Amino acid sequence: MLTPKQLRDIVETMQPILDELNGWITRDIVRRVMARLGRGEALELTNTDIWQAQVYADIGGHMEALQRQLVAFTRATEQEVAAIFREAGLTSYKVDAMVLQSGSVDVPPLPQSRRVLQVLADTYRRTNSDLYNFTRTTAMESQKRLIKALDEAHLKVMSGAQSYTAAVKDAVEALAQGQARVAYPTGHTDTLETAVLRAVRTGTAQASGNMSLELMAEHDWDIVLTSAHIGARYGDGGENPGNHYWWQGRFFSRTGRTPGLPLFVESTGYGTGEGLCGWNCRHSFGPGDGKHNPWKHFDSDENKRAYDLSQQQRKMEAAIRRSKHKLLTYREAIDNCQDPATRQQLQSVYDAEALKLQKQNQAYGEFCDDNDLKRLNDRLAVAQWNRSQAAKATAAAKRAKP
């Protein structure tokens, strides 16, 4: 069994890799947009056929560069995922073995438990396969963003709907707004960060859970204990798998043979997206003895308040990261813009965004202080946002103040 904190922190080492890839994709697109648009409309926006040829030539170049980045990304991520799964597997098996051994069950070391190791390996392979699929769809989504930005800017200028300067400004803004996205077969999309972190966290939790179930089945152990933490999601408040607060920190029966205990899978929804070890779930489980329960019971109102505050905190942290990504993107556009009027427009937007970031940071600090929450600076970090970038943003915020 893994603790909620272990599951929460399990993918922290991946965050810099994800930020670096996401930022690189956006900045690369912006560089190419500015290469096409940044030298002035008379030079680049005169002939539709030439324009389209240039667009598709750029798409090919962009895809090649992006694919190289994605190859490097998946290799790095594969190493991270492997390390995460190894650590999770060893920790989970050790904790579960201690419970079984206290019940006079002879549990062999993990390397000697072939079936349990196979469960861990299978879950790891499925998770890593998801990561490769994510990077492929990210390449396609990135290509679409580049086409859309270039074509929209071209059409706006050629139709007379906008000036060249305004069209370029809108194109850069559209690219700065978005992160790299993953497209699922259902049509749903997520940011690359959300998709990968969810896949690894969920895969790790499921690996730990599947190992626990296999270990209990091997030794015919029936009683299951779920973990608990403050701020568990409460869904619609009913007694169902979507209400993690309801089933956390309780004993269950794996097979139904222990009187008085509800069935494990049916009660917790294990194996489904909304239930135990599902989407971003921080709960885990393992063998229990039906008597000793180390997990604290949290008051319903206390838990609800903690969950709502955590959701608000995450929302504010995500907004700050998005603002930093936008500023990095605008900085890239400004540095690559050769048209003075457009550069001035972009600088004006950059200054306003810098002031917005300053206010966001202030609001975040006040929110944490007011609600006695720890400021999670690691969740505010963005790759390539260093002291130099922060200093430029601070100076820009001063310029933007009324």
Side-chain angles (χ1 to χ4, degrees), residues 365-378:
E366 292 174 353
F367 175 80
C368 291
D369 291 342
D370 292 344
N371 294 285
D372 196 25
L373 298 173
K374 182 181 178 181
R375 302 186 192 199
L376 302 174
N377 293 323
D378 57 309

Side-chain angles (χ1 to χ4, degrees), residues 178-240:
Q179 295 187 47
R181 300 194 71 84
V182 167
Y184 295 92
T186 60
H188 174 73
T189 64
D190 273 327
T191 65
L192 180 65
E193 175 187 1
T194 297
V196 174
L197 295 183
R198 178 191 293 137
V200 174
R201 186 179 289 113
T202 303
T204 303
Q206 290 177 348
S208 170
N210 291 341
M211 287 173 65
S212 294
L213 285 178
E214 179 62 35
L215 186 62
M216 285 186 278
E218 282 187 5
H219 299 284
D220 196 29
W221 193 277
D222 185 59
I223 299 177
V224 183
L225 174 62
T226 56
S227 66
H229 65 84
I230 186 67
R233 73 185 74 164
Y234 51 84
D236 61 7
E239 296 183 354
N240 54 61

Side-chain angles (χ1 to χ4, degrees), residues 312-339:
Q312 181 63 24
Q313 186 178 13
R314 288 185 183 181
K315 183 178 179 181
M316 297 177 79
E317 290 161 353
I320 289 173
R321 292 198 305 272
R322 285 196 299 270
S323 291
K324 289 180 178 179
H325 277 299
K326 287 177 68 175
L327 286 170
L328 287 170
T329 302
Y330 278 112
R331 187 75 261 162
E332 192 73 38
I334 292 167
D335 293 344
N336 286 276
C337 184
Q338 300 179 32
D339 180 70

Side-chain angles (χ1 to χ4, degrees), residues 1 4 7 205 224-229 232-235 237-252 262-285 293 295-297 303:
M1 179 190 290
L7 286 173
V224 183
L225 174 62
T226 56
S227 66
H229 65 84
R233 73 185 74 164
Y234 51 84
E239 296 183 354
N240 54 61
N243 182 355
H244 293 204
Y245 171 77
W246 171 66
W247 50 252
Q248 72 171 3
R250 295 179 58 187
F251 291 110
F252 297 90
L263 286 170
F264 170 66
V265 172
E266 287 79 355
S267 299
T268 65
Y270 180 71
T272 66
E274 69 171 357
L276 173 60
C277 297
W279 305 309
N280 284 325
C281 178
R282 287 166 48 198
H283 290 96
S284 187
F285 65 91
N293 187 342
W295 300 105
K296 178 182 176 181
H297 174 73
N303 179 82

Side-chain angles (χ1 to χ4, degrees), residues 124-187:
Y124 165 72
R125 281 194 290 269
R126 286 198 301 273
T127 301
N128 213 47
S129 176
D130 287 342
L131 296 183
Y132 278 112
N133 289 335
F134 289 163
T135 56
R136 283 195 289 271
T137 63
T138 299
M140 290 185 289
E141 289 297 311
S142 179
Q143 181 187 43
K144 291 176 184 177
R145 286 177 66 198
L146 179 56
I147 295 173
K148 188 172 185 290
L150 290 169
D151 281 350
E152 284 186 355
H154 170 62
L155 291 173
K156 286 175 181 177
V157 174
M158 293 300 290
S159 66
Q162 273 189 317
S163 67
Y164 161 79
T165 298
V168 173
K169 175 176 170 291
D170 284 355
V172 173
E173 182 174 1
L175 292 170
Q177 289 282 357
Q179 295 187 47
R181 300 194 71 84
V182 167
Y184 295 92
T186 60

